DNA sequence: CTGTTAGCGCGTTCAG
DNA sequence: CTGAACGCGCTAACAG
C-alpha cells in the first residue's frame, strides 16, 4: 500500500507538498500539482484515514447506538428507515456511521461512552428512550457532541423528535369527530418517553372536548399483537366500556382488530381503531387500519444534519435545540364511521 | 484527555511500561503494574483507538455495506435482524461495525473499496445480490478479507447464505403434497441471485414429481404487494391456469391473497399461497399465510463469526467456504387444503 | 510556492 | 523487568 512518502519520492517533492495537493491548497504551482497527481495515480495512492484521523484529531465518523428493546418489536421498519436517512446524509457529506445495537440500556450507555472516550467517533446519535435516563446528562457533562432522536432531550442538548403529543391529540380528536365516545388507549411501557407523550396528547384532546379522562381506559403493556389483544380482553372482563381504541403501536392495533373479530364487534361501526407507525401491513387488513405515519427517514436525515452542522461549525453549535417532525394521520376504513352510517 | 504519557509521568515509569501493562504483558512486576493501574484510574485514562490502530495496523472495525434496493421493500425486518446478529457477536468480540447504505450498486461498490483502501476497516461483510456482479471478484483481487451474505459467492470466497434452492424445493413439494397441480411462481427481479436459486428449487421439485415446468407460470417482477396482485391478474387474462402460488416474497403473497378475494377464489381450497420471509404480518391475514422462515439473525451471526475468525487467524483463514443456513416452512391455513377437505 | 521539523498517541524493537 | 528510540502515515507550524 502506497504512502504519501512513496508519492513524494516519485513526484520528486516533499511529503508535505503531496499533503497540500490532497488538501487542495492554492499555494501550489499547477506544475507540481500535476506531477503529484500523476504520481498518485501511478501508485494508486489512497490516503490512510487512520493516520489522517490521528493527525487531525477527528474521525469523520458518527456513532449511532441503539438498545434492542428501544426497537420495540423490530416489526416496524422504524430504525431501518432512520438508518437510511442518517446514512444518506452521512454519505453525501463524507462521514461514516459506526453502529452499535445493544441488548439493554446499560450496554448502550457503556458503548456510547467508550466510543467517545476512545476517540473512535466525533459525535453520537443516541436513541435512548426511557424517562429516567442518565445517559443524556452524562454526555452533556462529557461535552460530547450528540443528538438524541425519538424523544425530547429535556437537557441543554440537541434532539430530533416526532410530534408525539400532537399526533396523539389529533388521532383522539379524529375518533371523537367520528362519533366515538369512550376511547381506550393501549400504550407501551410506562417508562418510555414516547408513552407519556402520547398519553398526554390523548388526555389533552379529551379535556379540550370536556370529556372525562377515565384512568381505567389507559392500559400499558409490552409491544406485541397478543398483548394488545389481551389488554382489551381484560378491559372487557373488568367491565370497562369503550367504543374505540387508540393504539400506541400498529401491533396493538392488530390485536384490537382480532379482539373485534373475536367478540363479534364490527369495525368501524362498533369499534374504531387507530394504530401508530403506519407499517405497510396496515393497508392489508380487513378493514384497513387507520394509523399515524411517522417520518422515520426524515428523522434520520435531520438528526445527522444537526450533528454534522455542529461538528463542522463548533462555534455556531447550539447547546439546545429541538427539531420536531410532523406526523400525519392516515385515515382508513377502521375509523370511517360517519361516512358509513 | 489523558494520554499514555500522562499516566507514565504520574506512575513514575516510562510510556512503554504503561503500554505493556495495558497489553497485559507478563514481564512486569506486580508492583509497577499496580502503580500504573492506579495512575490510569486517577486520570481516567482510556487508550486512544485511533493511535492504536495506526501503530498496530488494524482497526477492529468491520464494514457492512448494503445497497438500498437489496433491502427489497424494507417491509421485512431481514436486514434489521442481520444487523442485530452481526452486532451481537461484534460487541462480544470487541469489534465495531461501520455501516453504509447506498442508493445503488455502483455506490455500494465504491464505498466498499474506499473503506478498504483508506484502511478504515479490517474486513467487509457485503450483501451484493445481483447475478452479474464484479464487486466480489474485485474484492478477491484486492485480497480484502470479506464475507458475502445472502448469496453464494461463486468465487474463492467466504459466504453465508440461506438454503434458497432447498427452501423453494420444499415449499413446492408441500404444495404438491396438498394436492395442488399447477403452481405459479412469482419471483423478484431475474438478475437477483436469490431469484434464480428459488426458481431452481421450484423446477427441481416439479421435475422430481415428473410434472412439466411451464415457463408461463413463472413471472418476474419488482417486490411489492401491487406487483404480486398484477402479476396474477396478467396470468389470468392470458389464460394461464394455476391453483397455487409460490411467492418469492411475503408482499407477493399478500398480493396473491388480494387476488383471491378479488376473483372470488377461496384460500386454500381454490388457491394455495406460500410466501417467503415469514414476516409477522403473515399470521394476521385471513387466512393466515404459509411462509418460509429465513434465519436472518443467525445469518448475521455466522457471517460476523466467519469474518472475525479469519481476521484473527489469517493463517487458518480459508479461501473458500460457504455456510448454508436452513430455513423452515411455517405451514398455516393458506395451504392446508387436505386437512380441510 | 516548497522543504524541514515536529508532533498526533501508541506499539515495539533493542538494549540493559 | 524496564527505559530509550523509532516508526505507523499524515498534518501543520515555521522557515526560506
Amino acid at each position: 500500500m502506497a504512502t504519501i512518502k512513496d508519492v513524494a519520492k516519485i513526484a520528486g517533492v516533499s511529503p508535505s507538498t503531496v499533503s497540500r495537493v490532497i488538501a487542495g491548497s492554492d499555494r501550489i504551482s499547477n506544475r507540481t500539482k500535476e506531477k503529484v497527481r500523476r504520481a498518485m495515480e501511478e501508485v494508486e495512492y489512497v490516503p490512510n484515514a487512520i493516520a489522517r484521523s490521528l493527525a487531525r484529531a477527528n474521525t469523520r465518523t458518527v456513532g449511532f447506538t441503539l438498545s434492542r428493546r428501544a426497537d420495540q418489536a423490530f416489526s416496524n421498519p422504524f430504525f431501518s428507515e432512520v438508518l437510511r436517512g442518517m446514512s444518506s446524509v452521512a454519505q453525501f457529506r463524507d462521514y461514516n456511521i459506526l453502529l452499535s445495537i445493544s441488548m439493554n440500556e446499560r450496554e448502550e450507555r457503556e458503548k456510547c461512552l467508550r466510543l467517545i472516550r476512545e476517540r473512535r467517533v466525533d459525535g453520537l446519535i443516541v436513541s435512548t428512550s426511557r424517562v429516567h435516563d442518565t445517559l443524556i446528562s452524562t454526555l452533556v457533562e462529557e461535552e460530547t457532541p450528540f443528538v438524541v432522536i425519538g424523544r425530547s432531550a429535556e437537557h441543554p442538548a440537541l434532539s430530533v423528535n416526532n410530534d408525539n403529543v400532537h399526533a396523539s391529540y389529533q388521532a383522539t380528536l379524529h375518533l371523537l369527530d367520528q362519533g366515538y365516545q369512550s376511547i381506550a388507549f393501549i400504550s407501551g411501557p410506562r417508562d418510555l418517553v414516547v408513552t407519556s407523550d402520547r398519553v398526554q396528547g390523548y388526555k389533552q384532546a379529551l379535556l379540550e372536548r370536556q370529556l372525562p379522562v377515565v384512568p381505567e381506559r389507559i392500559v400499558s403493556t409490552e409491544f406485541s399483537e397478543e398483548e394488545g389483544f389481551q389488554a382489551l380482553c381484560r378491559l372487557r372482563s373488568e367491565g370497562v366500556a369503550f367504543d374505540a381504541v387508540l393504539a400506541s403501536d400498529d401491533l396493538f392495533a392488530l390485536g384490537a382488530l382480532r379482539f373485534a373479530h373475536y367478540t363479534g364487534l364490527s369495525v368501524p361501526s362498533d369499534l374504531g381503531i387507530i394504530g401508530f407507525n403506519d407499517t405497510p401491513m396496515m393497508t392489508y387488513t380487513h378493514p384497513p387500519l387507520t394509523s399515524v405515519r411517522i417520518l422515520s427517514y426524515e428523522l434520520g436525515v435531520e438528526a445527522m444534519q444537526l450533528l454534522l452542522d455542529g461538528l463542522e461549525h463548533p462555534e455556531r453549535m447550539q447547546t439546545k435545540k429541538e427539531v420536531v417532525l410532523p406526523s400525519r394521520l392516515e385515515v382508513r376504513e377502521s375509523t370511517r364511521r360517519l361516512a358509513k352510517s
Side-chain angles (χ1 to χ4, degrees), chain A:
Chain A
M1 208 84 318
T3 76
I4 208 170
K5 280 186 194 166
D6 303 325
V7 176
K9 199 158 293 174
I10 294 182
V13 297
S14 78
S16 40
T17 301
V18 177
S19 176
R20 288 195 186 98
V21 172
I22 296 170
S25 165
D26 44 349
R27 326 179 300 174
I28 295 272
S29 78
N30 284 326
R31 248 190 78 251
T32 46
K33 255 185 196 165
E34 213 24 65
K35 264 195 304 186
V36 171
R37 291 246 167 72
R38 254 199 288 280
M40 297 203 307
E41 281 179 17
E42 186 178 332
V43 296
E44 289 185 330
Y45 172 74
V46 179
N48 180 316
I50 302 298
R52 178 176 282 185
S53 289
L54 185 60
R56 297 212 283 216
N58 71 24
T59 60
R60 294 196 84 79
T61 301
V62 167
F64 177 45
T65 64
L66 174 64
S67 97
R68 185 206 171 177
R69 300 223 13 150
D71 200 337
Q72 298 182 4
F74 256 115
S75 68
N76 74 58
F78 180 69
F79 278 105
S80 303
E81 284 298 295
V82 170
L83 266 176
R84 263 190 55 230
M86 295 188 347
S87 192
S88 72
V89 351
Q91 201 99 336
F92 182 70
R93 294 174 65 161
D94 199 20
Y95 270 79
N96 293 97
I97 296 175
L98 206 52
L99 175 72
S100 163
I101 303 174
S102 300
M103 305 289 269
N104 55 56
E105 328 241 307
R106 189 186 48 70
E107 263 187 23
E108 183 188 0
R109 179 192 168 80
E110 284 173 7
K111 188 70 190 182
C112 272
L113 295 178
R114 190 142 169 232
L115 288 178
I116 281 295
R117 291 179 180 156
E118 286 185 334
R119 315 254 118 202
R120 231 179 243 285
V121 299
D122 297 339
L124 289 172
I125 296 181
V126 301
S127 73
T128 173
S129 52
R130 309 266 159 190
V131 175
H132 299 293
D133 179 296
T134 59
L135 177 56
I136 296 179
S137 56
T138 306
L139 292 177
V140 171
E141 282 167 21
E142 298 240 335
E143 300 184 45
T144 305
F146 74 101
V147 171
V148 185
I149 65 170
R151 66 173 290 175
S152 111
E154 291 159 14
H155 293 258
L158 307 182
S159 65
V160 181
N161 196 6
N162 323 109
D163 60 344
N164 279 316
V165 178
H166 188 249
S168 184
Y169 165 81
Q170 290 285 1
T172 308
L173 284 190
H174 169 70
L175 286 171
L176 296 175
D177 288 341
Q178 293 292 315
Y180 297 104
Q181 309 274 345
S182 40
I183 305 172
F185 186 99
I186 315 181
S187 82
R190 277 195 205 291
D191 59 345
L192 295 184
V193 176
V194 59
T195 296
S196 66
D197 284 356
R198 289 178 185 171
V199 168
Q200 188 189 328
Y202 162 81
K203 288 181 177 170
Q204 200 170 300
L206 294 179
L207 291 174
E208 188 174 303
R209 293 290 171 92
Q210 307 188 318
L211 292 167
V213 172
V214 182
E216 292 75 32
R217 289 194 193 130
I218 305 178
V219 295
S220 161
T221 183
E222 296 293 316
F223 294 106
S224 82
E225 192 264 359
E226 176 68 18
E227 289 292 330
F229 175 75
Q230 294 294 346
L232 295 185
C233 290
R234 272 198 306 276
L235 285 190
R236 194 178 63 145
S237 71
E238 289 164 5
V240 179
F242 55 92
D243 59 2
V245 175
L246 180 56
S248 196
D249 193 281
D250 286 340
L251 286 176
F252 289 150
L254 289 175
L257 186 58
R258 176 150 67 96
F259 172 83
H261 291 322
Y262 178 71
T263 55
L265 294 172
S266 99
V267 178
S269 52
D270 300 331
L271 188 70
I273 302 177
I274 296 187
F276 258 88
N277 284 344
D278 197 36
T279 45
M281 63 187 164
M282 301 306 266
T283 53
Y284 307 132
T285 55
H286 297 281
L289 290 163
T290 296
S291 187
V292 179
R293 158 160 288 165
I294 301 292
L295 300 185
S296 344
Y297 179 87
E298 290 76 3
L299 207 70
V301 167
E302 291 291 330
M304 187 56 81
Q305 277 174 349
L306 197 56
L307 182 59
L308 298 190
D309 288 347
L311 290 177
E312 287 172 357
H313 302 286
E315 71 285 3
R316 297 189 222 148
M317 168 80 119
Q318 315 197 27
T319 61
K320 182 160 179 55
K321 174 169 181 179
E322 177 163 7
V323 176
V324 176
L325 265 50
S327 45
R328 201 179 68 201
L329 190 66
E330 299 286 343
V331 177
R332 303 199 181 88
E333 298 308 314
S334 71
T335 58
R336 279 211 193 98
R337 191 197 226 173
L338 290 189
K340 291 212 142 191
S341 66

